[in-house]
Amino acid sequence: MEPKDTAPEDALAGLDTREALIVVTRLLGEGGVENPARDARLLLLSALAITGTDLLRDPGRRLDQEEARKFWDLAQRRAAREPVSRILGERGFYGRTFHVMPATLDPRPCTETVVEAALEIAGREGWRDRPMRILDIGTGTGALLVTLLAELPLATGLGTDISDDALGAAQANAERLGVASRAAFLNRRSGEGVAGPFDLVVSNPPYIPSGDIAALEPEVRDFDPLGALDGGADGLAIYREIAASLLELVPRGWALMEVGAGQASDVAAILREGVGAAAVKIETWTDLGQHTRCVAVQTQR
């Protein structure tokens, strides 16, 4: 359902915050938003430039004309299925806030599985206590690389992407989160033209089969960049590209890939074939929904 054209002052002006939240929650629910009450609250906090604590302290606060206009404008965008993260320009990821922009994939909680797997491996390998090099292929906002550098203070890393705008966003996030001195960013596709060796390679590549994109939720289909979604006819094209140069990038270490539903065994086979006899073992990790979300190969040449 499209948002109604009701003027903001008619819809929300003069209401208190509780009443305004009821109106907007209903609007979002009618628009097909999955969690309308949560999203309405986030948008209200942004429109009023207040915190959740402020809202609890003064639940009867009335919206003035300008606040009503701001809240209604944000609500209309969300009812049209624009994600809250894109409306607000930021997304929480592994306890930190990342700026997002149209050129970047919106980082999602399932990708935190790759972070958890990488940190588990870093602990096993003793990398927390010594310098190490990390490569993030298709870095986007820099969520994977920046998070790992923040969690591993002796590490340095390189993030690659084919979008200069995305690389600019990743650089800005590295600066905001205090790891820019240990991060570099480069316009490259897969692993081509990247000088190794690295101890750890991570990637959340495009893995949606081309024919499935039209059926995705509007929040993904209409707002994430197509290049960050489209994995080719079977969704596995970029994995094959990465695997072709993987052994040059990580001759002795680990490579971790985020995967889509039902892709784990195929990606494991691609990685094993790519590194050949240098493959020590393959491991997988599941996300909170118990879907296999990360596939890793250990290499030793």
Side-chain angles (χ1 to χ4, degrees):
M1 175 179 174
E2 293 296 323
K4 298 176 182 178
D5 294 328
T6 308
E9 56 272 22
D10 293 336
L12 300 177
L15 299 184
D16 65 31
T17 54
R18 291 170 297 191
E19 294 166 335
L21 282 171
I22 291 171
V23 172
V24 169
T25 297
R26 183 181 304 118
L27 172 72
L28 300 187
E30 291 172 351
V33 171
E34 183 175 349
N35 195 329
R38 177 200 62 194
D39 289 2
R41 184 175 181 275
L42 290 172
L43 297 177
L44 176 67
L45 296 179
S46 177
L48 303 186
I50 61 174
T51 67
T53 301
D54 295 330
L55 185 61
L56 289 173
R57 285 175 178 166
D58 187 14
R61 168 180 172 173
R62 295 197 175 275
L63 279 63
D64 65 28
Q65 200 78 13
E66 181 62 17
E67 291 169 340
R69 183 193 63 78
K70 288 181 179 179
F71 189 24
W72 189 250
D73 286 349
L74 298 181
Q76 286 189 305
R77 290 172 64 182
R78 183 65 186 111
R81 304 298 290 275
E82 184 176 355
V84 170
S85 56
R86 296 207 179 272
I87 295 170
L88 304 184
E90 61 184 33
R91 160 78 80 166
F93 183 84
Y94 210 77
R96 298 175 178 87
T97 300
F98 285 79
H99 285 324
V100 297
M101 60 181 297
T104 61
L105 190 73
D106 185 0
R108 293 177 173 85
C110 58
T111 302
E112 294 182 357
T113 307
V114 180
V115 174
E116 295 284 2
L119 294 177
E120 179 184 324
I121 288 170
R124 285 190 224 161
E125 299 289 339
W127 290 340
R128 292 181 179 273
D129 302 317
R130 69 168 179 84
M132 63 173 294
R133 291 189 76 202
I134 302 170
L135 172 64
D136 178 13
I137 298 174
T139 194
T141 60
L144 283 176
L145 179 62
V146 170
T147 299
L148 290 173
L149 293 180
E151 296 289 329
L152 301 168
L154 298 181
T156 59
L158 172 67
T160 66
D161 207 289
I162 58 173
S163 165
D164 287 334
D165 287 340
L167 292 170
Q171 178 70 49
N173 281 319
E175 292 169 358
R176 288 182 57 256
L177 294 169
V179 301
S181 64
R182 295 184 285 122
F185 298 95
L186 186 65
N187 190 313
R188 292 290 187 275
R189 179 179 174 88
S190 61
E192 297 174 1
V194 177
F198 296 90
D199 300 289
L200 179 70
V201 174
V202 294
S203 184
N204 176 18
Y207 55 69
I208 307 298
S210 303
D212 293 349
I213 290 175
L216 294 174
E217 288 294 311
E219 286 87 346
V220 178
R221 181 192 65 223
D222 298 338
F223 294 96
D224 277 329
L226 180 62
L229 298 174
D230 193 343
D234 62 356
L236 303 174
I238 304 301
Y239 296 105
R240 296 187 184 95
E241 290 186 28
I242 293 173
S245 58
L246 194 55
L247 203 52
E248 299 303 316
L249 298 171
V250 57
R252 185 184 182 92
W254 286 83
L256 289 75
M257 305 285 133
E258 180 171 332
V259 300
Q263 294 178 326
S265 60
D266 288 334
V267 172
I270 290 169
L271 295 178
R272 190 180 292 279
E273 181 179 355
V275 301
V280 177
K281 61 181 173 180
I282 299 284
E283 291 191 38
T284 61
W285 282 260
T286 57
D287 61 21
L288 292 176
Q290 298 307 306
H291 302 291
T292 301
R293 186 60 62 183
C294 176
V295 175
V297 59
Q298 183 183 18
T299 62
Q300 184 173 331
R301 184 164 65 178

